[in-house]
Amino acid sequence: MRIKPGTKGGNEPAASTGLPAQPRALPANIAMASVRIPLSQKVVRGVELHRQLRDLSFEPDRTRLIPIEDMPFADERLTSMGEMIMEADGGSLRTFSGNRAHENGWWPSRKRRRLQHWEGTAQRFALLALECDFTVEWAQTEPCLLRFPIGSTWYEWYADMLVSRFNGPDELWEIKRDERQLEDPEYRLKLAGAEEICRRIGIKFRLVMADEIFVDRFHRDNLELFASRRFVSVPPAHMRRFEAFALKNGPQTTYGELANAIDPACPSRGAAIIQGLTVRRRVEVDLRDTLTNRTPMTIH
């Protein structure tokens, strides 16, 4: 596996060099694994993807991520499983500014501290959810392109999301609107190849359906609200009240109690500050239910 920096160029990935003209033959157990399988709920939720090309003789190892400048070229055809192409600055490999088949745009992330380019409402909603997720350090859309051979065919897979968590391995997401987008056996084979490469380099591959991002409309509304407050200004006086309340009362509190403590004269302003502090990981709250003054919260 090689990582090489890309060069921004609209919707196209950076040019790739150094690949062998013909893909090398794969082990027999992998070549035989590319049989077409019927669509099922197992396939949709990724179970069969994990089994289709898995070779348990390879243990996860991040040292397989070798930058191109460090690649031992004399042994390249013997060691390379494929290429991972990324932007040198870690941004989106593909950028969107309209004129596409799907709704698209860009969205400034506070956690990532850069614009996130997205295509399709499911990818945008995933951005909102990850921005408010306490376990997530940051998330990057359109982070990389994987190019790899299966048998005599080369495949290309653009990851939809790279997620970095505080406790756990990095994740590469493939986001789908619904199950119908997985009906093509050849496409499922490509995802199986991407999943096996991710496993071997110690990255978790996730197939995420749009209906898994939100529990219901209340959850979606909460994420929209809290994410919209990610850049809210927190005056020093409000921050002092927030920290004094935590020292006096401990980390466990409720939405209404904390909002009143932050701004007794205007609790709604205190609630807005709580929402911004949630994105900054100073407050942890379950956003999957309707929010009330009695909603429990944890101060960090």
Side-chain angles (χ1 to χ4, degrees), residues 258-291:
L258 185 56
N260 276 287
I262 292 174
D263 195 328
C266 184
S268 61
R269 183 161 49 214
I273 290 174
I274 291 173
Q275 293 152 18
L277 292 176
T278 300
V279 174
R280 301 178 198 186
R281 301 187 72 254
R282 294 301 308 274
V283 176
E284 184 178 4
V285 57
D286 187 351
L287 298 178
R288 293 173 295 180
D289 203 355
T290 304
L291 295 176

Side-chain angles (χ1 to χ4, degrees), residues 16 87 91 99 104 111 119 134 141 147 153 176 187 201 219 224 226 259:
S16 173
E87 281 295 340
N99 195 29
N104 62 84
K111 284 185 173 180
E119 182 179 22
F134 187 81
T141 59
R147 301 186 66 213
T153 304
K176 288 300 170 195
Y187 181 67
I201 60 177
H219 187 200
E224 290 270 14
F226 277 62

Side-chain angles (χ1 to χ4, degrees), residues 150-168:
I150 299 179
S152 60
T153 304
W154 280 97
Y155 292 88
E156 293 188 347
W157 176 65
Y158 285 94
D160 288 322
M161 197 81 70
L162 171 61
V163 181
S164 175
R165 296 188 185 273
F166 285 96
N167 298 310

Side-chain angles (χ1 to χ4, degrees), residues 28-130:
N29 64 322
I30 293 183
M32 293 175 61
S34 60
V35 294
R36 296 190 174 187
I37 55 178
L39 182 67
S40 68
Q41 190 66 18
K42 286 186 178 181
V43 172
V44 169
R45 298 308 174 195
V47 176
E48 293 298 338
L49 289 181
H50 289 265
R51 297 174 180 171
Q52 195 171 356
L53 297 178
R54 174 158 293 191
D55 186 344
L56 295 178
S57 64
F58 290 91
E59 294 291 334
D61 184 358
R62 290 300 289 264
T63 63
R64 288 193 176 98
L65 287 166
I66 305 174
I68 190 170
E69 58 269 19
D70 298 330
M71 172 66 72
F73 285 93
D75 299 328
E76 179 180 0
R77 285 182 294 178
L78 298 176
T79 61
S80 177
M81 297 189 315
E83 277 190 332
M84 178 183 285
I85 302 174
M86 308 177 72
E87 281 295 340
D89 62 0
S92 297
L93 188 62
R94 296 192 298 175
T95 60
F96 309 109
S97 57
N99 195 29
R100 305 280 294 184
H102 304 288
E103 187 179 25
N104 62 84
W106 54 84
W107 189 82
S109 167
R110 189 185 190 284
K111 284 185 173 180
R112 186 58 169 160
R113 299 186 183 277
R114 67 185 312 147
L115 284 178
Q116 300 295 305
H117 293 264
W118 56 271
E119 182 179 22
T121 55
Q123 192 177 23
R124 178 182 174 273
F125 289 155
L127 273 173
L128 300 181
L130 293 169

